[in-house]
Amino acid sequence: MKVEASAPSNIALIKYMGKEPGGRNRPANPSLSYTLEHLRSFVTLEKIQELMIDEWLALPGFEPIELSQVGLKKFMEHFMRLKLQWKIPGNYRVQSANNFPADCGLASSASSFAALTLAAYSLAQAHDKNLECTREELSQFSRLGSGSSCRSMFSPWAEWSGEGAEGINVALELEHAVILVDGDRKSVSSSEAHARVNTSLLWPGRPDRAWARLKELKTALSRQDWRSIYDVCWSEFWDMHALFETSKPSFGFMSRGTLDVLDQLRQLWLRDKDGPIVTMDAGANVHLLLRSDQIGRANTWLSGYKTLRSWSE
Ligand code: DP6
């Protein structure tokens, strides 16, 4: 038996950074994200009689994939957890891949854990015709593998506080571009970042700041107040990166290239009183969300940069 599933990535505008104690990826504060349908992971699961344990292979036909030992262990442990949850018998060849290059500095954990959860759910349904899970329940299962993947179960907008995410109603469909900037600093995994940020003196106020920004952002989204959306998102990603830089030991992801891009974007806003929504993940790349009427100008802003975009030029 073989099943397949695919799931999109997402970019958080209010960030999940820091976890509640006790494991299981419960976030210290709520997060809100936009789903990136053009950046996807694909997973197939195939039962192999001869296998004594589950195995992982890269799924052919996609971008070559790089999985660290730690990343592979986390991925296969999630599959094991789902097999136990849904009483799926046997051993499987798990194959996965992304439609974006492994070396571009984009984390694939949200899309790959969501795709694995969906693939395992198909398998479970093939074994148990009465099994029905809601999207919210699947989101909770996915969170156990990797927190941010729980938001990839909803599109285009998702909010997550507590056990799992839910879709939220926002009357804004956006385009996305990520400017690929080379990071020249040693990278720290997001799991490590979650563990370290509470050593920062800025940490004690962090959950309150995230809650306050969530409220501001939701108001701005409902009013389609583009400038306020930009302002909240700008301060939110700087807040997360300030936590990184003030942790003990300190770490960070912004390179000269990042600072240069951020400066250009700020100049653009100062000049035009308009521009893209700007945010960053735990990496050197800069993510932009745009209204469809900005696409023509965005092709000019982005010329000369290496990018991945949701639209064709
Ligand atoms: C910076 O979901 O990768 O992207 O739960 O340990 O797997 P784990 O962490 P992960 O953290 C993502 C952090 C972030 C912000 C966000 O997506 O909200």
Side-chain angles (χ1 to χ4, degrees):
M1 178 188 298
K2 189 168 179 175
V3 296
E4 52 187 58
S6 150
S9 185
N10 70 75
I11 181 72
L13 298 180
I14 303 296
K15 311 289 179 183
Y16 155 51
M17 184 43 58
K19 303 182 187 185
E20 290 289 357
R24 302 170 70 86
N25 300 334
R26 281 204 192 81
N29 61 259
S31 56
L32 190 150
S33 61
Y34 194 79
T35 300
L36 307 177
E37 293 290 348
H38 66 119
L39 302 178
R40 306 188 69 88
S41 293
F42 300 81
V43 170
T44 66
L45 302 173
E46 186 177 10
K47 187 165 186 178
I48 308 281
Q49 298 300 349
E50 312 81 70
L51 284 183
M52 303 305 286
I53 51 165
D54 299 322
E55 70 169 14
W56 179 86
L57 290 175
L59 187 61
F62 289 89
E63 296 283 346
I65 192 167
E66 279 168 19
L67 261 188
S68 67
Q69 278 304 105
V70 176
L72 181 61
K73 186 164 173 280
K74 186 170 160 183
F75 196 62
M76 295 307 275
E77 279 176 358
H78 186 53
F79 182 49
M80 193 82 87
R81 181 185 299 117
L82 295 168
K83 279 184 14 176
L84 280 173
Q85 169 67 36
W86 287 316
K87 302 185 178 57
I88 300 170
N91 292 313
Y92 288 81
R93 174 169 298 146
V94 179
Q95 291 186 277
S96 67
N98 308 316
N99 67 356
F100 50 93
D103 61 359
C104 71
L106 286 184
S108 61
S109 104
S111 52
S112 59
F113 280 79
L116 179 59
T117 305
L118 291 174
Y121 177 53
S122 297
L123 203 56
Q125 284 191 309
H127 283 95
D128 175 358
K129 300 279 179 257
N130 296 319
L131 179 70
E132 259 328 312
C133 289
T134 61
R135 212 67 191 173
E136 285 75 12
E137 286 165 331
L138 293 173
S139 168
Q140 295 185 16
F141 287 131
S142 212
R143 182 206 89 219
L144 297 171
S146 180
S148 55
S149 72
C150 76
R151 296 183 309 239
S152 284
M153 294 292 170
F154 302 92
S155 189
W157 295 93
E159 183 180 339
W160 169 31
S161 58
E163 300 296 310
E166 52 186 35
I168 54 167
N169 239 335
V170 177
L172 259 183
E173 292 259 354
L174 301 174
E175 301 290 344
H176 169 260
V178 54
I179 302 179
L180 302 171
V181 181
D182 283 336
D184 51 9
R185 303 187 58 177
K186 191 175 178 303
S187 69
V188 166
S189 73
S190 51
S191 293
E192 175 61 22
H194 285 291
R196 242 194 257 179
V197 285
N198 61 13
T199 61
S200 163
L201 288 178
L202 299 178
W203 175 253
R206 167 64 192 160
D208 287 346
R209 294 197 299 278
W211 276 105
R213 284 202 197 97
L214 176 71
K215 195 167 162 230
E216 267 184 60
L217 180 59
K218 285 171 85 172
T219 305
L221 286 170
S222 69
R223 293 185 182 149
Q224 308 225 352
D225 176 351
W226 192 251
R227 171 77 213 202
S228 300
I229 301 171
Y230 162 75
D231 285 337
V232 180
C233 295
W234 183 269
S235 49
E236 172 64 3
F237 84 75
W238 275 103
D239 191 346
M240 181 175 77
H241 283 260
L243 284 173
F244 299 157
E245 295 289 356
T246 52
S247 289
K248 296 177 193 121
S250 155
F251 61 102
F253 299 94
M254 291 187 184
S255 65
R256 273 166 209 224
T258 308
L259 293 173
D260 186 49
V261 168
L262 293 176
D263 189 47
Q264 298 285 332
L265 291 163
R266 196 198 335 237
Q267 296 307 327
L268 186 77
W269 267 94
L270 283 171
R271 193 191 66 202
D272 297 350
K273 311 277 176 284
D274 188 27
I277 304 303
V278 182
T279 192
M280 291 182 66
D281 241 330
N285 297 321
V286 181
H287 290 259
L288 310 181
L289 290 172
L290 304 115
R291 305 184 311 266
S292 52
D293 64 280
Q294 294 178 307
I295 292 304
R297 275 174 294 152
N299 285 329
T300 314
W301 303 333
L302 296 173
S303 66
Y305 289 119
K306 201 172 149 200
T307 58
L308 294 174
R309 308 180 192 192
S310 59
W311 69 93
S312 40
E313 284 168 66

